[in-house]
């Protein structure tokens, strides 16, 4: 009787021990593959290692003269303004109590929904309880013409004509501020 049982076990394609061994090898190989993939990605990453406060804001061509872009407000809380000569980044944070202002293109002003503060397109406050203009965020253009901003580096009014507080766009937008 026992001879018959032994014969049956050997007849299985994969015994229990084989399955456990194969599962172990599979797990090991899968772990190795993931680790190798991560290492290779690290070696060949295309973008330079940027601090988490830095984001890519496209190129000057992405912005229209005289317009305010709110495309980075949700992710980075930053408005990008093209005043015709310069590109600058305004922190979308009201200087009263920190609410997020909105841009009203027809009225050409930022308006805070919390207590009604208003700011001109250049960020200067003109109505409501906000005590000072919106802060500017560091912005620059790299040698490849790409625009970057760093939300951790800010310029309080009136520091707006200093390097990295704007990008000059005259003459095709090659010079940075
Ligand atoms: S938080 Fe903007 S007006 Fe008060």
């Amino acid at each position: 009787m026992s001879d018959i049982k032994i014969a049956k076990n050997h007849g299985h394609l994969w015994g229990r021990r084989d399955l456990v061994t194969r599962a172990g090898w599979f797990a090991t190989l899968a772990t190795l593959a993931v680790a190798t993939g991560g290492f290779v990605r690290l070696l060949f990453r295309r973008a330079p290692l940027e601090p988490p406060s830095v984001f890519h804001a496209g190129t000057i061509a992405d912005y229209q003269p005289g317009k305010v872009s709110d495309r980075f407000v949700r992710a980075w809380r930053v408005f990008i303004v093209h005043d015709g000569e310069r590109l600058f980044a305004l922190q979308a944070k009201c200087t009263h109590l920190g609410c997020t202002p909105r841009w009203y293109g027809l009225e050409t002003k930022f308006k805070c929904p919390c207590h009604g503060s208003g700011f001109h397109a250049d960020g200067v406050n003109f109505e409501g309880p906000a005590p000072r203009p919106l802060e500017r965020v560091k912005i620059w253009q790299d040698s490849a013409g790409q625009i970057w901003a760093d939300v951790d580096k800010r310029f309080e009014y009136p520091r707006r004509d200093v390097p990295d507080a704007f990008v000059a766009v005259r003459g095709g937008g090659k010079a940075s501020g």
Side-chain angles (χ1 to χ4, degrees):
M1 198 65 178
S2 62
D3 287 345
I4 295 172
K5 269 188 182 171
I6 289 168
K8 275 186 180 173
N9 279 344
H10 278 276
H12 284 172
L13 187 59
W14 288 2
R16 191 184 298 164
R17 194 183 300 169
D18 279 350
L19 270 177
V20 171
T21 306
R22 282 167 201 262
W25 273 109
F26 180 77
T28 305
L29 288 175
T31 305
L32 270 175
V34 169
T36 306
F39 182 68
V40 168
R41 254 207 328 265
L42 200 67
L43 283 180
F44 295 100
R45 59 185 301 142
R46 288 229 219 107
L49 211 52
E50 299 290 352
S53 60
V54 170
F55 68 92
H56 180 223
T59 66
I60 287 175
D62 294 328
Y63 301 96
Q64 288 184 287
K67 299 281 186 191
V68 172
S69 169
D70 60 3
R71 62 195 268 216
F72 297 111
V73 170
R74 184 173 294 207
W76 294 99
R77 226 177 168 192
V78 165
F79 291 104
I80 307 279
V81 184
H82 188 326
D83 71 0
E85 296 186 338
R86 294 175 170 187
L87 214 62
F88 55 88
L90 290 174
Q91 189 185 34
K93 184 177 177 184
C94 180
T95 52
H96 179 223
L97 293 176
C99 291
T100 303
R102 298 189 192 118
W103 172 247
Y104 291 86
L106 288 178
E107 299 165 57
T108 60
K109 69 177 184 182
F110 297 100
K111 188 80 179 168
C112 181
C114 293
H115 313 99
S117 287
F119 305 84
H120 294 300
D122 62 359
V124 173
N125 53 314
F126 68 92
E127 64 180 354
R132 60 185 183 280
L134 300 174
E135 291 185 6
R136 292 197 180 190
V137 165
K138 179 180 176 181
I139 187 169
W140 72 97
Q141 185 180 35
D142 69 17
S143 56
Q146 302 299 311
I147 302 294
W148 301 85
D150 185 345
V151 294
D152 272 358
K153 305 224 166 56
R154 293 192 295 277
F155 304 90
E156 278 186 36
Y157 189 82
R159 293 183 63 224
R160 50 178 45 198
D161 292 324
V162 296
D164 291 338
F166 67 92
V167 171
V169 298
R170 281 172 295 183
K174 273 297 173 195
S176 64

